Structures are given as structure tokens and as C-alpha cells.
Amino acid sequence: MMMPQMPGNSRVWCFGAAQVLSPLHLQDLSSKMDAFVADWQAHGADLSAAYTIIHDSFLIVAVDESITPPSGCSIDKVFKLLANFPIDFLQRLRIWQPFCNTAHVFNLEDAKLAFKEKQIDMHTLVLNPLVATLEEARENLYIPLSQSWAFSKIQA
């Protein structure tokens, strides 16, 4: 189970990388995220937070809002950390197709081409970056492309 130490109603943010991370980048990101969640605060109060990296390309950060809700400034801190990482995590118009322990990362143009060439189709499982809670991530992180925000843009 994903982040079993966190309750299902924890708020989540999903960040997909522009590419599959190398072992060195995975180690660097894990180290930075370990320190970040250990020290993450909102207005001086510790946040109960955790993270996971799946398919070597997709970061999920969770906060238990029932203990201490995050503030806008505290949320901005995770975005700032990722903005300073050497791999882009903040461009939202990507699709991550899980494959074993890794993923294939598509930008929209590449996804359109892959769809046209039938390398992917409406049944292809993709990661859902729009989940809002940890329970939703646990249950609906993998969805068919046809249920993805990107489907109408890809098949056009």
C-alpha cells in the first residue's frame, strides 16, 4: 500500500518528471525529499507528511491535514524545491505510461503521434496526476487513457 503510515484522507500533490530519473537523480531526489518532509512546517507547526516516487518518474507528496493543515506558503516550498531540481517536475502537460518499475513519459505531441501510430490507445493505462487525496491515489492512480485529462487533446 502506498504510504501506509498516512491516512487515506491526506491531501496529495503529484509531480511527474520530464523523463525517467537516473539512479543518481533518484537518490538525490529521495535525499532532498527525506529532509524536506522531516522539516516541513506551516506557520511554525510541523506537518505530518510523506512522499513516494513511483515508476522512477512520478513523485507523490502527502500531508495529513487533520493534524496540521498546510498553508499556501508551505505548499509553495515543495514547488520551489522541485523548481530547483535539475529535472523538470512542474510542466503539467505530460502523460506517464507505467511500465514495470519505470514509465514512458510523453509530452502531448509525442502522445498524439504514439496514438496515431497505435503505440498507445484509449485502453492504455496512464498515471492520474489529478488525484486529490491519498485514498484516491491508492484506488485511482492508474486509469485508462480514455479517462485522462489528455485524451481529448491526443485524439484531436
Side-chain angles (χ1 to χ4, degrees):
M1 179 168 58
M2 183 186 311
M3 293 182 264
Q5 74 278 27
M6 300 293 289
N9 64 345
S10 297
R11 184 172 174 190
V12 298
W13 294 267
C14 298
F15 302 94
Q19 65 193 56
V20 173
L21 301 176
S22 69
L24 185 60
H25 283 126
L26 282 168
Q27 182 180 2
D28 186 31
L29 181 60
S30 293
S31 176
K32 284 180 167 65
M33 289 305 301
D34 286 344
F36 181 81
V37 297
D39 295 333
W40 200 9
Q41 294 186 327
H43 302 293
D46 291 338
L47 294 175
S48 176
Y51 76 94
T52 189
I53 303 167
I54 60 171
H55 302 292
D56 296 342
S57 61
F58 205 76
L59 171 68
I60 302 172
V61 180
V63 173
D64 183 352
E65 293 180 305
S66 69
I67 295 175
T68 304
S71 64
C73 293
S74 65
I75 295 166
D76 287 347
K77 289 178 184 175
V78 73
F79 282 85
K80 184 177 179 182
L81 180 142
L82 293 172
N84 291 315
F85 197 74
I87 306 295
D88 180 16
F89 275 89
L90 301 179
Q91 211 287 13
R92 307 294 285 176
L93 300 178
R94 293 193 182 100
I95 299 134
W96 299 268
Q97 176 191 14
F99 179 75
C100 297
N101 292 328
T102 187
H104 187 97
V105 182
F106 295 96
N107 63 35
L108 278 179
E109 292 306 313
D110 291 341
K112 284 180 186 180
L113 182 60
F115 188 79
K116 182 179 176 183
E117 294 179 353
K118 302 191 184 316
Q119 295 170 350
I120 60 174
D121 63 31
M122 64 186 287
H123 304 290
T124 300
L125 287 182
V126 297
L127 293 170
N128 180 7
L130 303 178
V131 293
T133 66
L134 187 53
E135 181 176 358
E136 191 178 356
R138 289 172 179 158
E139 295 175 4
N140 295 308
L141 188 61
Y142 302 94
I143 59 173
L145 180 60
S146 62
Q147 294 177 18
S148 166
W149 66 270
F151 188 61
S152 64
K153 297 174 183 348
I154 291 170
Q155 66 173 354

